[in-house]
Amino acid sequence: MPYVGVLGGMGSAATADFLTKLVALTPAQCDQEHLPVIAAFLPQIPDRSSAILGTGSDPLPRLLAGIDLLNQVGAGVIAIPCNTTHHWYRELAQASRAPILHIADAALARVPQDRPVMLLATRGTLVSGFYQRALALRATECVLPSPEQQQLVDKCIALVKAGEARSAAKLMAGLLENVRKRGVRALLLACTELPFAATGLACDDLLMIDCSLELARVTVDYALRLGWNRS
Amino acid sequence: MPYVGVLGGMGSAATADFLTKLVALTPAQCDQEHLPVIAAFLPQIPDRSSAILGTGSDPLPRLLAGIDLLNQVGAGVIAIPCNTTHHWYRELAQASRAPILHIADAALARVPQDRPVMLLATRGTLVSGFYQRALALRATECVLPSPEQQQLVDKCIALVKAGEARSAAKLMAGLLENVRKRGVRALLLACTELPFAATGLACDDLLMIDCSLELARVTVDYALRLGWNRS
């Protein structure tokens, strides 16, 4: 039976969080009803955002090596719980026998079309533009953070990567206040570190789309449809 | 650089929890300082406890296949976040090029020698007896649950495997009351599902040793000593 392949470590906490979501979303009464998964945490892959911004080395060779490893061990589908990495989606998908689920496709299925949505992501993801293009195709207005807001987003992400989710949550609370003032009520948490920063914050008035959760949802659906949880 | 290999899926939630602990225990300021990990969730491995009790099929062939897979992809050390599986520790260690860290060794390093400790585990782990033997070697008194208490332990484990950690926590609260009445103040949570059941319970008066956390600790120490978080 094929495995669910997970190309992770970008970052490591986000990958563990993605796996926790994947397991929680799987309807199972005992161990044997869960899905077989091979998760590769490859944190030494160079920083994706820096590479897109032209200030860091190219992560593509190591990303391709990770995809190759997952195919070799028998992955039947691959999920990558890192939004920025999807800048190289085409190259990775072309090199992979197993289909690679796209995190933006998973997330956009949850975005309402009738109101503006703010895109919270790394600078690399913003420059890459794949979320903006996908939103434009759906005629959904994409609101980008102001330069000051983007600095807060960057700090939130860095704090989570450094294991300081509580400090990140304080910054996120301020960020959400700002978002409310701009009249925005829907957010795409389009970086897999951001859900940590939003955990426990009061935001019933905001629709927050957790891209990591949505990727986990489509991954579980894919594997269950093919019956990979039957031994 | 070698990977930390994780033989998991026994159960899946426990493995995701172990990975979360592994990441949280790693001192890292950015992605690249984290450890490379390959985690194989193989939940279709037959139930270990049933096999030891003589009521289920032999998990050893699939356990060996998992160890083989981790060695093939380049694991430099292997952790198995399932106590019961350590019944087959010798066979697995003999078949593995990479050393396999023993969860009981990791946990026992935290057990105080001067007071009795209660062993909460699957019936398979209790019948296997490796915890009792290790405690006897340290001259630490091992207290076993009463038949009624063991039924509660079994139910806690089954509920966590079925994704119902909250219901498990209610049972665990009752179990801890019982433990206190017997005058025991130290517990070995020697099943990787049990920490979920104990989460959030008031138990400052009890020393609870989380075997999964201790295995994560020795795994991180091992890999950091060898510098596996340097790219």
Side-chain angles (χ1 to χ4, degrees):
Chain A
M1 200 65 86
Y3 300 101
V4 170
V6 178
L7 183 62
M10 304 175 282
S12 292
T15 301
D17 177 55
F18 173 77
L19 292 167
T20 300
K21 288 165 174 166
L22 193 91
V23 172
L25 288 168
T26 306
Q29 289 303 308
C30 63
D31 288 353
Q32 289 71 25
E33 291 173 13
H34 277 279
L35 292 167
V37 178
I38 306 274
F41 292 65
L42 307 176
Q44 277 72 40
I45 293 171
D47 187 71
R48 287 67 57 199
S49 199
S50 305
I52 295 169
L53 301 174
T55 59
S57 57
D58 183 8
L60 186 57
R62 286 207 186 203
L63 289 170
L64 287 168
I67 292 294
D68 192 45
L69 184 152
L70 291 173
N71 275 285
Q72 275 181 28
V73 296
V77 72
I78 293 174
I80 309 175
C82 169
N83 286 271
T84 319
T85 298
H86 289 73
H87 176 69
W88 293 272
Y89 178 81
R90 200 189 53 196
E91 290 88 337
L92 300 177
Q94 280 174 350
S96 181
R97 189 175 33 75
I100 302 178
L101 300 168
H102 199 303
I103 196 166
D105 290 345
L108 288 172
R110 294 274 158 174
V111 172
Q113 280 187 295
D114 60 349
R115 70 192 101 161
V117 61
M118 184 174 275
L119 180 58
L120 301 186
T122 63
R123 286 171 193 266
T125 297
L126 295 184
V127 167
S128 179
F130 58 87
Y131 268 105
Q132 295 94 313
R133 286 191 292 276
L135 288 164
L137 277 174
R138 294 160 39 100
T140 299
E141 188 189 340
C142 177
V143 181
L144 294 179
S146 68
E148 295 74 29
Q149 287 173 335
Q150 186 60 38
Q151 283 187 347
L152 287 177
V153 173
D154 296 348
K155 275 191 192 164
C156 276
I157 296 168
L159 283 168
V160 171
K161 286 183 186 288
E164 297 175 45
R166 281 188 194 180
S167 306
K170 282 183 198 160
L171 292 186
M172 179 60 93
L175 186 62
L176 294 184
E177 258 330 295
N178 250 300
V179 166
R180 285 185 182 97
K181 278 185 196 150
R182 288 181 67 181
V184 176
R185 290 291 175 270
L187 290 109
L188 261 170
L189 300 180
C191 168
T192 52
E193 270 79 29
L194 290 175
F196 289 84
T199 301
L201 296 181
C203 40
D204 287 348
D205 57 328
L206 300 173
L207 173 66
M208 291 227 258
I209 295 147
D210 173 347
C211 297
S212 176
L213 180 67
E214 299 312 325
L215 180 63
R217 208 187 297 280
V218 299
T219 306
V220 168
D221 287 351
Y222 186 99
L224 288 182
R225 225 165 33 237
L226 295 173
W228 293 353
N229 59 338
R230 289 183 231 123
S231 40
Chain B
M1 200 63 87
Y3 300 102
V4 170
V6 178
L7 183 62
M10 304 174 282
S12 292
T15 301
D17 177 54
F18 173 77
L19 292 167
T20 301
K21 288 166 174 166
L22 193 92
V23 172
L25 288 168
T26 306
Q29 290 303 309
C30 63
D31 288 353
Q32 289 72 22
E33 292 173 12
H34 276 279
L35 292 167
V37 178
I38 306 274
F41 290 65
L42 308 176
Q44 278 71 40
I45 293 172
D47 187 71
R48 287 67 57 199
S49 200
S50 305
I52 295 170
L53 301 174
T55 59
S57 58
D58 183 9
L60 187 57
R62 285 209 187 201
L63 289 170
L64 287 169
I67 292 293
D68 192 45
L69 183 152
L70 292 173
N71 275 285
Q72 275 181 29
V73 295
V77 71
I78 292 174
I80 310 175
C82 169
N83 286 272
T84 318
T85 298
H86 288 72
H87 177 68
W88 293 272
Y89 177 81
R90 200 188 52 195
E91 291 87 339
L92 300 178
Q94 280 175 351
S96 181
R97 187 175 34 73
I100 303 178
L101 300 169
H102 198 302
I103 196 167
D105 290 346
L108 288 172
R110 293 275 160 176
V111 173
Q113 280 186 296
D114 61 348
R115 70 191 102 162
V117 62
M118 184 175 274
L119 181 58
L120 301 186
T122 63
R123 286 172 194 264
T125 297
L126 295 183
V127 167
S128 178
F130 59 87
Y131 268 105
Q132 295 95 313
R133 286 191 293 277
L135 287 164
L137 277 174
R138 295 161 37 101
T140 299
E141 188 189 340
C142 176
V143 182
L144 294 178
S146 68
E148 295 74 30
Q149 288 173 333
Q150 186 60 39
Q151 283 187 346
L152 288 177
V153 174
D154 297 347
K155 274 191 194 164
C156 276
I157 296 169
L159 283 167
V160 172
K161 285 183 186 291
E164 297 175 43
R166 280 187 196 184
S167 307
K170 283 183 198 160
L171 291 186
M172 180 61 91
L175 186 62
L176 294 184
E177 258 331 295
N178 250 298
V179 166
R180 286 185 182 98
K181 279 185 196 151
R182 288 181 67 181
V184 176
R185 291 291 175 271
L187 290 109
L188 261 169
L189 301 181
C191 168
T192 52
E193 269 79 28
L194 290 176
F196 289 85
T199 302
L201 295 183
C203 41
D204 287 349
D205 58 328
L206 299 174
L207 173 65
M208 291 227 259
I209 295 147
D210 173 347
C211 297
S212 176
L213 180 66
E214 299 311 326
L215 181 63
R217 208 186 299 279
V218 300
T219 307
V220 169
D221 287 350
Y222 186 99
L224 288 183
R225 226 165 31 238
L226 295 173
W228 293 354
N229 59 337
R230 289 183 230 124
S231 41

